[in-house]
Amino acid sequence: MSKLMRRAGWLPIILFLPLVIFAQDQAWQVVKSTHFNIFYKNAPEDVLNELTQKAEECYDSIADELGFNRFNFWTWDNRAKIYLFDNQDEYIKATQSFDWSGGQVRISAKLIQSYVGAPGFLHNIFPHELAHIIFIEMVGFNNPAVPLWLQEGVATYQEKDIHSIKAVLADKIRQGGYLNLDALSRFAVKGSSDEQVKLFYAESYSLVKYLIAEFGKEKFVLFCQNLRDNRNLADALRRTYSFSSLDDFEDSWKKYILA
Ligand SMILES: [Zn+2]
């Protein structure tokens, strides 16, 4: 490379530097929809339009599927927040996420974060994380009656690529290889094998599906209200569904899966 070319090569970099610094300091801009404030920096308009439309559709369908559509949680100042970073690098730097992460939620802040073009965000990650927020608003924050499996079950129930897992769970139950309710309640994702984590999510999903498919949305709303008001899982299951105990609930679910 000649000296001249080297110099010519430097020039655009020097000129570009102030722009880069400007881009990093750039303030967030916001678009507001009925239930969301969407913060962005350089996201293209079509991306923002799609996200806004999808977010509202998703809110409506989750509220509808869980029977929460009588309650309009968030408008005006209560809107949930979405931060859409320009790219994966900025997202990971700002959120300290793993490099495979396409999105993350901070439930108590009603905040979902992702980046432009994150794979699977609109169809799976966003519905899952939004369901976490909506469900917790319904049953109350830091409610000891709401185990992780119930939260993940409700959230996974919203994902669009869940296929029938009844047959898989039926085999696990027949072979005695499933996680019983006690094991589900004590389950920690950290330190568990990938297969155990998959089973945890599948069963959590299936238990929620069982309650909604067999007994309907109205009862599920009542169940959530009982959880919120009495803060006791066995009590909420008994009052809402007449399960005499947690064991009774588990046995009924197993019958449903094996039927
Ligand atoms: Zn989750």
Side-chain angles (χ1 to χ4, degrees), residues 105 107 125 128-129 132 148 151-156 159 201:
V105 64
I107 295 174
I125 300 169
H128 180 107
E129 306 303 12
H132 269 302
L148 184 65
Q151 298 183 44
E152 293 302 343
V154 167
T156 308
E159 290 183 33
Y201 276 92

Side-chain angles (χ1 to χ4, degrees), residues 14-130:
I14 292 161
L15 286 179
F16 192 57
L17 261 176
L19 287 178
V20 172
I21 291 162
F22 174 72
Q24 280 172 350
D25 284 350
Q26 195 183 346
W28 290 95
Q29 306 187 67
V30 61
V31 275
K32 296 182 178 195
S33 64
T34 313
H35 300 101
F36 298 92
N37 285 338
I38 299 172
F39 295 88
Y40 68 100
K41 286 183 178 173
N42 295 296
E45 200 181 329
D46 59 335
V47 169
L48 291 171
N49 287 343
E50 192 190 9
L51 176 57
T52 309
Q53 192 189 340
K54 187 76 198 168
E56 287 298 333
E57 275 172 25
C58 213
Y59 177 95
D60 289 342
S61 89
I62 291 170
D64 185 50
E65 275 171 38
L66 298 175
F68 297 170
N69 39 4
R70 289 182 277 138
F71 312 87
N72 199 4
F73 300 114
W74 319 326
T75 44
W76 306 107
D77 290 344
N78 289 321
R79 291 180 181 97
K81 292 179 277 299
I82 301 170
Y83 274 80
L84 190 66
F85 289 85
D86 282 342
N87 53 57
Q88 192 180 22
D89 281 355
E90 282 187 19
Y91 162 74
I92 288 172
K93 229 183 278 165
T95 61
Q96 312 276 302
S97 298
F98 293 109
D99 56 7
W100 46 259
S101 163
Q104 61 146 257
V105 64
R106 275 170 44 206
I107 295 174
S108 59
K110 270 190 344 206
L111 167 66
I112 295 174
Q113 306 188 90
S114 185
Y115 60 91
V116 175
F121 178 68
L122 279 187
H123 289 282
N124 294 312
I125 300 169
F126 183 75
H128 180 107
E129 306 303 12
L130 183 59

